[in-house]
Amino acid sequence: MAEAKTATLTIDGKTYELPILSPTSGPDVIDIRKLYAQAGVFTYDPGFTSTAACDSTITFIDGEEGILTHRGYPIDQLANDSHYLEVCYLLLYGHLPGPRELEDFERIITRHTMLNEQIHFFFRGFRRDSHPMATMVGVVGAISAFYHDSADVNDPAQREVAAHRLIAKMPTIAAMAYKYSLGQPFVYPRNELSYAANFLHMCFSVPAEPYHVNPVLARAMDRIFTLHADHEQNASTSTVRLASSSGANPFACIAAGIACLWGPAHGGANQACLEMLREIGTVERIPEFIARAKDKNDPFRLMGFGHRVYKNFDPRAKVLKESADEVLEVLGIHENETLKVAKELERIALEDEYFIEKKLYPNVDFYSGIILEAMGFPTSMFTPIFAVARTVGWISQWKEQLADPQLKIGRPRQLYLGAEERDYVGIERR
Ligand code: CMC
């Protein structure tokens, strides 16, 4: 048997042996759980750039090589050969489903897609011009008040029902947020449609006329869902885990994840990216924006470029690039100025010394916006669509965490740099 590896830390001449844990793949991890008790020091890592916050068996990323796997299966194989609900099953249960397991799972998800009718009143409380992410954060948090029979996190059977409900209801909530913003009637789900096709139906059909879902668009939608399904311990997933570590109910935890996803450095980047491409407008203006991205005194960044983990091409962006071509072809969009700007921007950035040196490659958000816009979605719906897709990742990680008998509440420590203890001064003496 291989000898257990340890790291040695010396503080003020005193030596501490720290165990090293070896993962299935990826770098070793120094176990510092007992460090404070033994040595009275904390470690310091704002932004978690060198910290593993948990162990997990769900998703693996090798950022240097541009590899992403779910339960061991490469993302390009899943995006090309599988489909979203099968990937949901894989993430939740750890293995690819057999035909019967898949059929049962699809039936369960399909049967949970409707919302309690009273939830409609929540939507009606929002202004029409609310961002759909604002509506989603509110409504998902609020559904804790409706599904009491699946809110006990200590009961594995209730956790299962909550997982199914959230995966099934999230597209309905996102589509309702969209319909509300348009002033159109809400569209109920249709059980004979696939998950992706049903989402398009709920977003784009109106009661006045029949709506047929284009199968190529349904496939592209399914691919976008699949490519966003999970991404290891990113900011929103870590938010869900932290919220859940206190024992909070699943709907509140997922609402916290949606709130975190909203920011432009995370899920909000797809909206920000398309807005940036539109602002650039023409290929001729690209050098001006590249120069701004490189200027240290300008806060501007090229949206859709760079990633905390990927220092190579984002494998999800590769698949989406093909999908973008397919969708534009089907929709007969050949002279799309935004796409021209995107392609040229990608070409120039990939050859530019600054981007090469900093290993800034296009990420998943670079192409998803182009596809979603071509399908007819406004930019404000891009991040809600990401939230729909990522719900299964949040829920799988949430389930994994709660099944761990060693679960502790997440409680980071700090490097305190504030005032030392001092006496209160009454207002008359200030
Ligand atoms: N444009 C120009 N410069 C950049 C960019 C960019 N998009 N991204 C990073 N840099 C530079 C940054 O200025 C820094 O330079 P220096 O070392 O000289 O200070 C260096 O690259 C490292 O950047 P960082 O901010 O320390 O890296 P990070 O790992 O903290 O940030 C990121 C990762 C994704 C927040 C960042 O690359 C970024 O803001 N990208 C644009 C937003 C975006 O597309 N986000 C979507 C991420 S993928 C989907 C998701 O996860 O939700």
Side-chain angles (χ1 to χ4, degrees), residues 196 200 214-227 320 323-324 326-327 371-372 375:
L200 293 175
N214 181 325
V216 175
L217 300 192
R219 176 78 191 118
M221 192 73 251
D222 188 88
R223 245 189 205 164
I224 288 180
F225 285 154
T226 301
L227 291 169
L320 274 187
S323 237
E326 218 173 280
V327 168
I371 302 178
L372 294 173
M375 283 178 172

Side-chain angles (χ1 to χ4, degrees), residues 100-404:
R100 185 66 198 271
E101 287 170 319
L102 183 60
E103 199 183 307
D104 285 350
F105 183 67
E106 288 183 334
R107 186 177 38 76
I108 290 167
I109 298 299
T110 308
R111 294 295 181 284
H112 275 299
T113 47
M114 290 207 311
L115 286 177
N116 183 304
E117 199 68 7
Q118 253 180 291
I119 293 173
H120 291 208
F121 294 114
F122 273 94
F123 284 89
R124 299 197 193 287
F126 283 91
R127 284 169 53 132
R128 288 278 174 198
D129 60 357
S130 303
H131 194 290
M133 283 298 273
T135 315
M136 282 183 83
V137 174
V139 171
V140 174
I143 63 176
S144 327
F146 287 83
Y147 301 107
H148 302 289
D149 58 342
S150 56
D152 179 357
V153 297
N154 298 314
D155 177 351
Q158 292 201 30
R159 296 206 290 260
E160 193 71 6
V161 178
H164 294 155
R165 280 189 169 141
L166 276 157
I167 295 166
K169 294 185 196 308
M170 203 60 87
T172 315
I173 294 171
M176 285 170 77
Y178 178 47
K179 284 298 193 191
Y180 186 75
S181 74
L182 296 176
Q184 289 185 2
F186 297 136
V187 175
Y188 288 94
R190 294 199 65 100
N191 285 355
E192 78 276 16
L193 296 175
S194 72
Y195 191 88
N198 179 47
F199 180 63
L200 293 175
H201 156 77
M202 289 189 292
C203 288
F204 294 123
S205 72
V206 288
E209 60 188 35
Y211 172 79
H212 302 289
V213 184
N214 181 325
V216 175
L217 300 192
R219 176 78 191 118
M221 192 73 251
D222 188 88
R223 245 189 205 164
I224 288 180
F225 285 154
T226 301
L227 291 169
H228 289 80
D230 191 47
H231 212 228
E232 206 225 59
Q233 308 310 321
N234 57 84
S236 57
T237 302
S238 299
T239 301
V240 170
R241 279 188 179 257
L242 193 58
S244 142
S245 75
S246 72
N249 80 68
F251 307 102
C253 295
I254 299 305
I258 296 172
C260 178
L261 186 76
W262 195 354
H266 191 10
N270 50 17
Q271 171 170 354
C273 179
L274 201 87
E275 285 166 358
M276 176 196 75
L277 293 174
R278 282 195 194 136
E279 194 193 340
I280 297 175
T282 61
V283 167
E284 292 70 43
R285 291 191 67 204
I286 293 175
E288 178 195 326
F289 283 81
I290 297 256
R292 283 187 62 195
K294 292 197 253 182
D295 182 354
K296 281 270 151 272
N297 300 315
D298 189 332
F300 175 77
R301 284 186 169 200
L302 276 194
M303 301 313 285
F305 274 81
H307 199 274
R308 167 61 62 78
V309 182
Y310 293 120
K311 301 303 167 199
N312 200 325
F313 227 98
D314 180 338
R316 303 167 298 173
K318 273 190 191 162
V319 180
L320 274 187
K321 195 175 168 174
E322 284 168 28
S323 237
D325 289 336
E326 218 173 280
V327 168
L328 294 172
E329 180 65 37
V330 160
L331 295 174
I333 305 172
H334 301 294
E335 281 307 302
N336 181 307
E337 201 54 43
T338 317
L339 186 69
K340 262 201 236 159
V341 172
K343 287 196 164 158
E344 187 59 9
L345 182 64
E346 182 199 26
R347 191 189 66 73
I348 295 176
L350 288 177
E351 287 173 2
D352 189 288
E353 203 41 53
Y354 174 93
F355 288 85
I356 294 171
E357 191 211 316
K358 296 193 185 308
K359 300 186 176 169
L360 300 171
Y361 290 85
N363 60 45
V364 68
D365 293 319
F366 193 67
Y367 287 103
S368 61
I370 292 167
I371 302 178
L372 294 173
E373 189 198 36
M375 283 178 172
F377 286 106
T379 50
S380 61
M381 275 304 286
F382 294 1
T383 318
I385 288 169
F386 192 159
V388 170
R390 183 55 58 83
T391 296
V392 69
W394 292 329
I395 280 291
S396 304
Q397 304 263 354
W398 168 82
K399 274 185 74 195
E400 180 179 68
Q401 180 187 32
L402 288 175
D404 180 353

